[in-house]
Amino acid sequence: MFTAKNKWKSPSYWFYYSYVILIVLFTAGPLLITFILAFNNNEAASFPWQGFTLDWFYSKTPDRMGLFNDPRMISALGVSIKVAVAVTILSILLGVNNAFLFVREKFIGKEFFYMLMLGPLVVPGVVLGTSILSFTHAIANSLDMTFGSGAGTFFRPGFWLVVLGQVSFVATTTTLVITARLRKFDQSLEEAAMDLGSSRAQAILSITLRFLMPAIIGAAIVAFLFSFENFNTTYFLSGTADSTTIPIILYSRLRFGLSPEINAVSVVLMISTGILGLLSTFFQKGDDLSA
Amino acid sequence: MFAKIKKNKGLWLVLTPHLLWIGLLFVLPHIKLFWLSFVDKRSGALTLANYAKFFQSELYRHVFVHTALFAILVTLITLAISFPTAFIVTKVLGKKMKAVVLLAIVLPYWISELIQVFAWMVLLRETGVISYMLQALGITSHNIEFLYKDATIVVGLVYTSILFMIIPIINSLDSLDDSLIEASYDLGGDFWSTMREIIIPHAAPGIVVGSVMVFMLNLGNYVTVTLLGGKNSLWFTENIYNQFIVRFNQNQGAAFGVILLTFSVLLVWVVLKVTGQDMTEAM
Amino acid sequence: MTEIDVSVKNLTKRWGNFTAVNNISFDVPKGSFFSVLGPSASGKTTVLRMIAGFETPTSGDIFINGQRINDVPANKRPCNLVFQRLALFPMMNVIDNVTFGLRRRGGMSKAEMEKKANEVLARVDMKGLNERKINQISGGQQQRVALARSLVLEPTVLLLDEPLSALDLKLRQDMKLELKRLQHRMGTTFMYITHDQTIALAMSDTVAVINFGKLEQVAAPEILYREPATHFVASFVGENNRWNNGKVVELVDDNACLVDVSGILSRARMGEKLKPGDVVDLFIRPEMILLKPGKHEKGNIGKIKEINFDGSHSLVVVDLLESKTPLSINVKLQHTEETPDISVGDTVTLSWGGTKQPAANAFLHIDPPTEEKE
């Protein structure tokens, strides 16, 4: 039987439990080992255990480059954060805008536009990246031709192109999250605020946006994480050092062999994304409770 | 009259940013890609040569079929692993255990795919953890390379896909009233008949959405296949990348991109039609 | 001796420290309509789910047809459950829902199954909608399909977990009568779980009242109403005036006593063993009070405070003028041709407890009131 209360008597309960434990081992196990090996005093990024060390975080010697003394890694971390912040802000603005568009407005072809809006999430990242690359490449070329060399720099691979490329699909996610929340909003609350003397703008700011806040914060965290870990689209659009994000540098390092420094990077990412992930689940839960 | 204009003004206010985003960052780039795929690289004339090259080359065709078949295989394996998990999490575990297990499954997926792949490389490479363990246990006496094999790619892709399958199925199973399962038992049903007639039909939308998402993700995967599969990976996305970045042949790359996109959209469309599911509803 | 279909002996269910069902025993006679009545969270649903096989008793035994079925899994028990929210299978149409159990049982051709299902569907007045999906039929029709789905298996006992509670009032009234007639026609034993006493009293041959996991009384509806066995039954079943802190003055006979509440004397049935001087709560049925306009020698003088008109009757609130402390009482006045003309402020004389039917019941005082009626 499936009911929660009498199941422990049945032998299948043990089967269920072992299965879940195996799955959790499968999903969490490899990361756990990676985590542990970040503190192993062994160049090979593998076992055997040769004692605890923080070298892979702090060492300054050239043969043992600690993560926090590796200028390229630190620079990539900074770029990743900058990109993620820009992507988050733009995607949230677009998400709120799109939510109002799809929930409040009536216009011809709304269904079609909604379907289209889902597109960036469905198209493979490689295709999305290459299509944006070839489109912006053409724009940059014609700008250069019309206004002289350098005029199209904005549309060349680099920081802003990475941001735009990521916004193309991250905004779909924020739109979905914020739209779902706005659908639950009782519009009479806004009308009540206006009835009590607010202007429409004041009503939206003080009532509607406040209602949307848990979804906005949740979506912002998700947007940040999506941006922070994106590789496929970013790979085509990044050029110089100012657009080399953590995933890009990790990819190039992983192609040439493993170093425990990457274990250290993993630890930092696991902890920070873990916290952000927990926060976003927390906000989504708050979303459910107050809805 | 005044009200109508005012209303329209509001519409344009929110429609403009939306159109700028979807138009400039999605529609126009794809039109451009589509256009490029029909243009000759040198002369700029309209041509079908970019597509002809794909259909004439046995290697490209082989890579494409290989990619499609493996993406389907990975989707099926992921489904086979994820469905029981989703079922146990929603229908067997108590509330607290459900939250704990769900967190243990979800948290690893917040981290970058690169780190996930790295974790498997640490385990599977020649001097890796599993090779070391096998030697420590005396099962083998020399290093074993597990990387750069088709099976490794499958394991890696299943690993990076599981969550995208589990979550939609959990969502659909969550909405299954437990009393339906009890009613089936009450009327004489057993585990398998309840599974077949009640639980799986109810979870069908989640299964379809999860499968579609996992299939698309795998078809478009680049990181996992190139890192775990190395030169042997034979994944179609590599061809696209090579044309764009290595050979600077945008037009050929564009044609490959269009082929990949057309195939995946077509397959998803067929799956949705056959199963009678609606993607927008489930998302 | 009547045949017994379901027998429950010393049934107990605990979850940790919480006792949901506490040592309950009762028998359900064959072919009867048996209700289990109790407020929400009283343990009545747990009793039902243990009989159906969805919960395992901590201790005690369940017998169906004289067979102990504790270890028989739910899908093998000769009883079927109509779920509170019906639990019809939305992925199937009407006929597939009804033949579901037959298909599980096997040994019948598809045509035979459908023939049998159609017979039962006809019995519950559900013809011609076989191909409809569950969400395409009305709430009342869903009730019928749920009944047919269980009845087609010819269970020894049909368990019903408040299936009418989801319906609106009017439909509920109709279905209530229909259910009773159906039970009569089919002769199947019905075991009905409810918190709605009007349903339990109207439909049942026997009612078991449960509170906090304990069995309070098992009796026919009239007995339950007139001669409640416990303080809880007196306060839960039917409307009652409740006066606290009365005192037993003397015992009239083996069953009745004289109770003094603030100087007002009443003759009351003793719900439990009482002796002079006991502090008791007095329950007086509002419809058993005789109201006469003006002052009369026999009875208690009062003044009308409120009159609440309610169609066939009025609820009259009367302040008693002769009590030592302020005391009021509700009187239910049937509207007949002989109903006196009264208005607020009138002086009236009330009397109760003097006739053959017990109007008042006395129980040892319990403080504070144990239960709010739902």
Side-chain angles (χ1 to χ4, degrees):
Chain A
M1 256 327 295
F2 305 130
T3 48
K5 288 96 187 178
N6 59 5
K7 67 195 175 214
W8 59 272
K9 284 194 173 171
S10 89
S12 54
Y13 180 76
W14 292 108
F15 168 77
Y16 289 142
Y17 243 63
S18 334
Y19 190 88
V20 165
I21 288 169
L22 279 178
I23 289 293
V24 169
L25 274 182
F26 180 64
T27 56
L31 294 172
L32 209 64
I33 290 172
T34 307
F35 191 97
I36 293 167
L37 290 177
F39 303 97
N40 187 7
N41 194 6
N42 180 346
E43 271 83 4
S46 178
F47 286 114
W49 184 256
Q50 295 182 339
F52 181 86
T53 180
L54 288 176
D55 277 3
W56 312 119
F57 292 87
Y58 291 113
S59 170
K60 281 180 184 161
T61 52
D63 59 323
R64 280 199 174 195
M65 184 70 91
L67 149 71
F68 294 119
N69 292 308
D70 181 341
R72 291 188 53 203
M73 206 56 104
I74 292 299
S75 147
L77 193 66
V79 170
S80 275
I81 291 173
K82 267 192 262 172
V83 168
V85 168
V87 168
T88 304
I89 292 171
L90 286 172
S91 302
I92 288 297
L93 290 177
L94 276 166
V96 173
N97 176 80
N98 292 348
F100 274 93
L101 177 70
F102 286 118
V103 177
R104 293 287 177 84
E105 301 294 338
K106 285 196 182 82
F107 55 98
I108 300 161
K110 185 166 153 178
E111 295 263 304
F112 170 78
F113 276 100
Y114 192 79
M115 288 286 285
L116 194 65
M117 185 267 299
L118 296 174
L121 217 56
V122 181
V123 170
V126 175
V127 176
L128 196 63
T130 50
S131 68
I132 293 176
L133 179 68
S134 44
F135 179 60
T136 50
H137 182 74
I139 294 180
N141 281 353
S142 58
L143 283 177
D144 276 359
M145 289 224 277
T146 324
F147 301 105
S149 174
T153 312
F154 182 83
F155 292 103
R156 300 279 179 206
F159 180 83
W160 284 108
L161 208 52
V162 169
V163 170
L164 288 179
Q166 293 187 357
V167 165
S168 71
F169 68 92
V170 174
T172 299
T173 311
T174 57
T175 300
L176 286 174
V177 174
I178 298 169
T179 301
R181 176 83 177 159
L182 188 59
R183 281 193 209 285
K184 292 183 195 160
F185 180 73
D186 178 2
Q187 209 170 333
S188 62
L189 292 180
E190 219 172 77
E191 285 160 3
M194 281 154 78
D195 183 64
L196 295 170
S198 307
S199 70
R200 192 175 153 75
Q202 280 171 332
I204 289 179
L205 280 176
S206 60
I207 307 292
T208 319
L209 279 184
R210 244 165 115 179
F211 175 85
L212 291 179
M213 217 21 106
I216 290 178
I217 295 172
I221 296 172
V222 172
F224 188 92
L225 286 172
F226 268 29
S227 160
F228 200 85
E229 68 180 58
N230 180 263
F231 176 84
N232 277 356
T233 308
T234 310
Y235 197 33
F236 293 97
L237 305 174
S238 76
T240 44
D242 76 331
S243 57
T244 304
T245 60
I246 284 274
I248 302 294
I249 200 168
L250 279 179
Y251 183 75
S252 62
R253 296 263 175 109
L254 287 180
R255 297 216 89 167
F256 297 110
L258 310 187
S259 134
E261 187 195 344
I262 302 179
N263 291 73
V265 175
S266 307
V267 167
V268 171
L269 291 186
M270 278 183 218
I271 291 172
S272 47
T273 52
I275 290 170
L276 282 178
L278 278 178
L279 276 178
S280 96
T281 7
F282 173 77
F283 275 108
Q284 269 158 19
K285 224 170 234 160
D287 187 15
D288 289 344
L289 284 179
S290 55
Chain B
M1 186 65 195
F2 179 64
K4 200 176 172 189
I5 292 169
K6 214 175 158 188
K7 186 126 203 209
N8 278 342
K9 217 169 99 188
L11 172 62
W12 285 110
L13 200 69
V14 282
L15 193 56
T16 311
H18 177 77
L19 289 178
L20 279 175
W21 163 63
I22 202 76
L24 289 177
L25 294 177
F26 183 69
V27 178
L28 289 178
H30 280 85
I31 291 174
K32 175 75 185 170
L33 192 77
F34 192 71
W35 171 253
L36 277 176
S37 71
F38 289 103
V39 169
D40 184 74
K41 190 191 172 193
R42 299 241 170 89
S43 65
L46 281 179
T47 175
L48 284 173
N50 298 320
Y51 289 94
K53 194 161 179 191
F54 171 81
F55 289 104
Q56 282 158 7
S57 155
E58 199 170 324
L59 178 67
Y60 288 141
R61 278 199 331 255
H62 172 70
V63 170
F64 188 82
V65 171
H66 178 269
T67 306
L69 289 180
F70 269 80
I72 291 169
L73 177 72
V74 168
T75 306
L76 293 178
I77 294 174
T78 309
L79 177 61
I81 294 177
S82 304
F83 185 83
T85 313
F87 171 74
I88 294 169
V89 165
T90 48
K91 296 296 166 202
V92 179
L93 298 181
K95 252 192 184 154
K96 273 183 201 157
M97 275 313 289
K98 177 182 172 180
V100 170
V101 171
L102 211 52
L103 207 63
I105 295 174
V106 171
L107 267 188
Y109 289 90
W110 284 114
I111 202 164
S112 164
E113 184 185 354
L114 276 143
I115 301 293
Q116 295 175 24
V117 175
F118 168 67
W120 281 98
M121 291 172 83
V122 165
L123 291 181
L124 296 174
R125 72 202 165 109
E126 211 175 344
T127 54
V129 172
I130 290 182
S131 180
Y132 169 79
M133 297 267 210
L134 290 177
Q135 288 175 68
L137 291 169
I139 294 170
T140 174
S141 58
H142 52 86
N143 285 340
I144 301 178
E145 176 69 271
F146 292 101
L147 288 180
Y148 316 127
K149 293 178 169 54
D150 280 343
T152 319
I153 298 180
V154 170
V155 170
L157 288 177
V158 167
Y159 184 79
T160 52
S161 304
I162 278 190
L163 190 76
F164 299 96
M165 187 70 90
I166 284 188
I167 294 299
I169 300 179
I170 282 183
N171 284 341
S172 62
L173 282 178
D174 259 340
S175 68
L176 174 65
D177 190 342
D178 283 2
S179 66
L180 288 186
I181 299 174
E182 288 181 350
S184 168
Y185 269 74
D186 184 70
L187 297 166
D190 56 14
F191 180 85
W192 292 111
S193 64
T194 307
M195 201 42 102
R196 196 178 61 238
E197 302 229 9
I198 312 295
I199 298 171
I200 291 179
H202 184 91
I207 292 173
V208 170
V209 168
S211 302
V212 165
M213 276 175 44
V214 167
F215 174 75
M216 298 291 272
L217 282 172
N218 285 320
L219 202 65
N221 190 291
Y222 184 77
V223 170
T224 305
V225 286
T226 51
L227 288 178
L228 291 182
K231 291 194 172 62
N232 304 327
S233 60
L234 294 179
W235 217 258
F236 196 66
T237 44
E238 269 186 302
N239 288 334
I240 300 177
Y241 174 81
N242 285 340
Q243 293 296 340
F244 268 92
I245 306 291
V246 182
R247 301 196 186 169
F248 296 106
N249 190 343
Q250 279 197 35
N251 307 83
Q252 190 60 56
F256 287 169
V258 170
I259 288 168
L260 185 72
L261 196 58
T262 311
F263 171 72
S264 54
V265 168
L266 217 64
L267 196 96
V268 168
W269 184 77
V270 168
V271 167
L272 291 181
K273 270 279 163 291
V274 168
T275 57
Q277 300 297 337
D278 187 345
M279 193 80 182
T280 47
E281 231 167 71
M283 287 177 86
Chain C
M1 214 183 96
T2 49
E3 251 183 284
I4 302 300
D5 260 350
V6 179
S7 178
V8 164
K9 298 239 185 303
N10 306 107
L11 199 62
T12 298
K13 178 71 187 179
R14 281 192 208 94
W15 284 301
N17 289 328
F18 175 67
T19 306
V21 174
N22 193 351
N23 199 18
I24 281 180
S25 305
F26 60 76
D27 291 331
V28 180
K30 189 175 185 60
S32 69
F33 199 121
F34 187 95
S35 288
V36 179
L37 174 66
S40 58
S42 58
K44 58 188 191 301
T45 299
T46 311
V47 170
L48 188 83
R49 289 173 60 81
M50 283 194 280
I51 297 174
F54 296 122
E55 304 289 357
T56 317
T58 309
S59 65
D61 299 308
I62 303 164
F63 299 89
I64 298 182
N65 278 337
Q67 301 277 320
R68 184 173 176 278
I69 54 151
N70 285 44
D71 304 318
V72 178
N75 50 0
K76 300 278 191 292
R77 293 191 184 191
C79 57
N80 290 109
L81 177 56
V82 179
F83 286 78
Q84 183 161 25
R85 279 170 295 162
L86 303 181
L88 291 170
F89 303 130
M91 57 289 274
M92 300 174 197
N93 60 18
V94 168
I95 190 77
D96 286 348
N97 262 281
V98 179
T99 56
F100 183 89
L102 295 174
R103 278 181 279 143
R104 298 287 81 75
R105 207 174 265 178
M108 260 173 133
S109 74
K110 192 164 181 278
E112 280 175 313
M113 287 182 194
E114 293 204 354
K115 183 166 171 270
K116 194 161 179 198
N118 279 323
E119 279 168 22
V120 179
L121 279 168
R123 286 209 145 171
V124 294
D125 289 327
M126 266 297 290
K127 281 186 212 158
L129 296 172
N130 285 4
E131 301 306 320
R132 292 277 184 92
K133 285 268 184 194
I134 294 308
N135 58 12
Q136 293 168 329
I137 58 177
S138 71
Q141 288 168 335
Q142 289 180 359
Q143 298 276 341
R144 293 164 207 269
V145 175
L147 282 168
R149 187 176 73 171
S150 291
L151 285 173
V152 76
L153 296 175
E154 294 166 355
T156 305
V157 53
L158 185 72
L159 308 169
L160 301 104
D161 186 5
E162 302 205 47
L164 298 186
S165 60
L167 300 179
D168 59 48
L169 184 67
K170 184 77 180 68
L171 199 53
R172 189 157 68 225
Q173 302 289 5
D174 294 348
M175 283 303 289
K176 184 168 81 178
L177 294 172
E178 231 178 286
L179 204 57
K180 169 101 182 161
R181 277 187 218 121
L182 182 72
Q183 190 268 334
H184 201 70
R185 227 166 36 222
M186 312 255 321
T188 310
T189 311
F190 276 33
M191 197 171 156
Y192 194 97
I193 299 294
T194 184
H195 70 273
D196 183 340
Q197 47 172 303
T198 60
I199 288 183
L201 295 179
M203 295 198 294
S204 317
D205 299 316
T206 313
V207 180
V209 181
I210 294 187
N211 188 34
F212 287 124
K214 278 205 185 121
L215 194 62
E216 298 272 342
Q217 187 172 9
V218 185
E222 310 85 55
I223 308 273
L224 209 63
Y225 190 80
R226 301 224 169 88
E227 297 167 21
T230 65
H231 192 284
F232 172 77
V233 175
S235 59
F236 184 66
V237 177
E239 286 170 48
N240 248 327
N241 288 289
R242 174 178 169 168
W243 284 347
N244 294 340
N245 290 316
K247 197 172 241 172
V248 176
V249 180
E250 58 172 316
L251 304 191
V252 180
D253 55 37
D254 284 352
N255 299 318
C257 63
L258 209 57
V259 177
D260 175 346
V261 181
S262 195
I264 305 291
L265 287 178
S266 318
R267 185 192 155 101
R269 175 186 161 269
M270 290 189 287
E272 55 201 320
K273 219 168 161 42
L274 299 172
K275 56 185 189 306
D278 280 347
V279 179
V280 293
D281 293 340
L282 192 66
F283 296 92
I284 307 164
R285 295 280 177 206
E287 75 278 11
M288 298 296 279
I289 299 168
L290 197 65
L291 180 148
K292 284 186 209 152
K295 282 186 188 171
H296 297 268
E297 214 160 278
K298 263 195 162 181
N300 298 297
I301 313 292
K303 199 169 135 194
I304 295 179
K305 191 181 169 197
E306 289 172 26
I307 301 176
N308 300 300
F309 178 74
D310 191 9
S312 65
H313 62 267
S314 291
L315 194 70
V316 184
V317 184
V318 179
D319 284 329
L320 293 176
L321 299 176
E322 295 165 330
S323 63
K324 289 173 199 152
T325 54
L327 200 60
S328 65
I329 192 164
N330 293 347
V331 180
K332 203 173 196 175
L333 203 60
Q334 282 294 330
H335 293 163
T336 65
E337 288 185 5
E338 287 153 28
T339 306
D341 247 351
I342 48 168
S343 50
V344 174
D346 286 1
T347 303
V348 292
T349 304
L350 305 177
S351 57
W352 61 84
T355 48
K356 64 267 170 201
Q357 299 277 18
N361 281 285
F363 289 92
L364 282 174
H365 175 66
I366 295 176
D367 193 53
T370 49
E371 205 58 49
E372 293 280 308
K373 259 188 245 174
E374 272 183 65

